[in-house]
Each structure stands twice: as C-alpha cells, then as structure tokens.
Amino acid sequence: MTVPILKIADGFREEFARSQVDLRQTPDEYAAREAHKFLLFDLDDYSYRDQELHSWIHRFGAILRGVEGMPSIEELRLRYLSQSERDAIAREQENDEGL
C-alpha cells in the first residue's frame, strides 16, 4: 500500500481544522455524535504540526471513510449514545433526505 505524502497545513489551515472539531471528545465519540453532519471531510488531506490534532483528525477521517480496522459509525453510536440520541440522529437524517 502506498502511503500518500500529505501537504503540511499552514497556520491558518491548522487553526481552521482546530475550529471544526472538538478535541475534548475522542474521534470515536465525536464520530458517533456528529458524523451525519459531514458530507465532505478533507481535513485529513494535510499533516499538522500539532500531533494531537493530527492524530485526532486522521482517526476521525478514517472512521468516516470506513477504513478497515476502524469501528463503524453504527458501532460507535451503540457504544456512546443513548437510544433517544440515536433516534434523534435518525430523525435528523430522515429530515435531511426529504429536502
């Protein structure tokens, strides 16, 4: 497997990336709660100087893309969310599909 060479994020892009995610949650929990809001995700096209941010973003991106070895969104929702939270996400997704 070829490992892609990532562009290094400049300071503006690194701050933008930081503003788009919640590092107080693990990437797994954030994916459980927020994955349905991401139609596109390209923050993991870059390498970040802040290694915590870099690791977080790249794990989150791998979860969103269903990379082998990553838990599925459904598995994460079962692990982190209550039934009422899962139901609310399902309703939100149904409403979005009806637009």
Side-chain angles (χ1 to χ4, degrees), residues 11-89:
F12 174 80
R13 185 170 298 278
E14 191 147 334
E15 284 307 310
F16 175 76
R18 190 179 313 284
S19 75
Q20 298 302 301
V21 299
D22 184 355
L23 295 175
R24 296 170 298 180
Q25 298 179 60
T26 66
D28 296 49
E29 183 176 0
Y30 192 72
R33 296 183 183 287
E34 307 293 338
H36 62 286
K37 297 178 181 176
F38 286 85
L39 297 176
L40 299 172
F41 185 79
D42 65 354
L43 295 177
D44 57 347
D45 287 346
Y46 294 87
S47 179
Y48 298 90
R49 290 174 181 85
D50 178 333
Q51 284 304 300
E52 178 186 15
L53 178 66
H54 179 89
S55 296
W56 196 104
I57 284 176
H58 285 269
R59 179 168 177 90
F60 181 68
I63 291 167
L64 290 179
R65 288 183 178 78
V67 171
E68 187 176 336
M70 291 291 114
S72 72
I73 301 299
E74 287 309 311
E75 290 171 325
L76 294 172
R77 286 183 178 152
L78 287 170
R79 184 180 312 157
Y80 289 103
L81 305 181
S82 67
Q83 183 62 52
S84 63
E85 289 171 311
R86 293 192 305 271
D87 292 344
I89 289 171

